[in-house]
Amino acid sequence: MEGARMQQEYFYEPAKGHGLKHDPFNAIVGPRPIGWISSRGADGSVNLAPYSFFNAFCYHPPIIGFSSIAAKDTLRNVRETGEFVWNLTTRPLAEAMNASSATAPYGVDEFTLAGLDKAPARLVSVPRVAASPVNFECKLADIVQLKGWRGDLAQAWLVLGEVVGVHIAPHLITDGVFDTFAAQIVLRAGGPTAYAEVLPATRLDMTRPG
């Protein structure tokens, strides 16, 4: 049985190509939180874009990060001003988030493209997505150009930011706990079009061993 299973598995070396219709890598590592990042350039122009490679990395201080595949406008803005805001993507905002991913010339305001209102931040100069129930105001901590194990540089930059301010809609806090399942969080699920919504029916509770 083990031998049969091994014969049937699909194996590939990424450096040589996957041989499939769509790269399975980001579909397997998923679903993932969406890095919906607003930023402002030195010239004052505002950008809003979703990033598929995003997550949290540290509690104290709170550090989040997203990877820019190629040197995109958000990377440029964060380098120039040292600030950005992460905006939580929810089901009511999913289509607007997708609209903000459109390729547009530098200086085009994706808030306008996606029909979104801005809200001011308190500690950074970057606007928040007003309709998003959670926003993280961030100061740039580091930018790291990624590289492979041989030392070859990738055309990808990991942007790490310290969360210096957090906005949470009050209806999502119950008995002092953020209600993840009430927030209707949307995640990137891989493939060319797939997303997933966090729903109460998918909840699984486990207590960590002492």
Side-chain angles (χ1 to χ4, degrees):
M1 179 64 71
E2 181 65 19
R5 188 191 69 81
M6 291 297 291
Q7 290 175 5
Q8 293 172 5
E9 74 175 11
Y10 192 88
F11 175 81
Y12 71 95
E13 297 177 56
K16 298 178 180 178
H18 50 75
L20 300 173
K21 184 177 180 180
H22 193 275
D23 191 340
F25 174 73
N26 61 355
I28 294 168
V29 185
R32 300 180 305 282
I34 298 169
W36 201 14
I37 308 297
S38 50
S39 61
R40 185 187 297 277
D43 63 358
S45 63
V46 171
N47 183 268
L48 177 66
Y51 285 83
S52 174
F53 292 124
F54 166 84
N55 222 309
F57 298 99
C58 185
Y59 280 121
H60 306 291
I63 300 288
I64 63 172
F66 64 94
S67 181
S68 178
I69 308 302
K72 297 178 180 177
D73 294 345
T74 303
L75 178 65
R76 170 180 169 173
N77 286 351
V78 175
R79 277 176 166 160
E80 290 179 351
T81 64
E83 301 175 338
F84 64 92
V85 172
W86 172 77
N87 306 277
L88 181 66
T89 301
T90 61
R91 182 62 192 90
L93 292 172
E95 284 74 20
M97 176 278 299
N98 189 51
S100 72
S101 70
T103 301
Y106 185 79
V108 171
D109 188 337
E110 287 83 3
F111 278 87
T112 301
L113 282 181
L116 293 164
D117 292 329
K118 300 181 181 77
R122 295 193 182 188
L123 303 176
V124 301
S125 64
V126 180
R128 304 178 287 124
V129 174
S132 176
V134 180
N135 318 96
F136 290 169
E137 299 184 23
C138 298
K139 295 279 191 177
L140 176 63
D142 202 1
I143 297 177
V144 180
Q145 186 172 6
L146 301 179
K147 60 183 179 181
W149 69 274
R150 292 186 177 89
D152 299 328
L153 292 174
Q155 292 302 299
W157 288 262
L158 176 62
V159 180
L160 297 169
E162 178 178 345
V163 179
V164 296
V166 178
H167 302 256
I168 305 174
H171 73 277
L172 294 179
I173 300 176
T174 304
D175 296 328
V177 177
F178 179 79
D179 192 340
T180 304
F181 294 88
Q184 295 180 271
I185 296 173
V186 169
L187 310 171
R188 189 70 173 94
T193 62
Y195 290 83
E197 182 181 352
V198 176
L199 298 169
T202 64
R203 179 168 179 161
L204 173 66
D205 287 278
M206 292 187 289
T207 302
R208 294 183 181 183

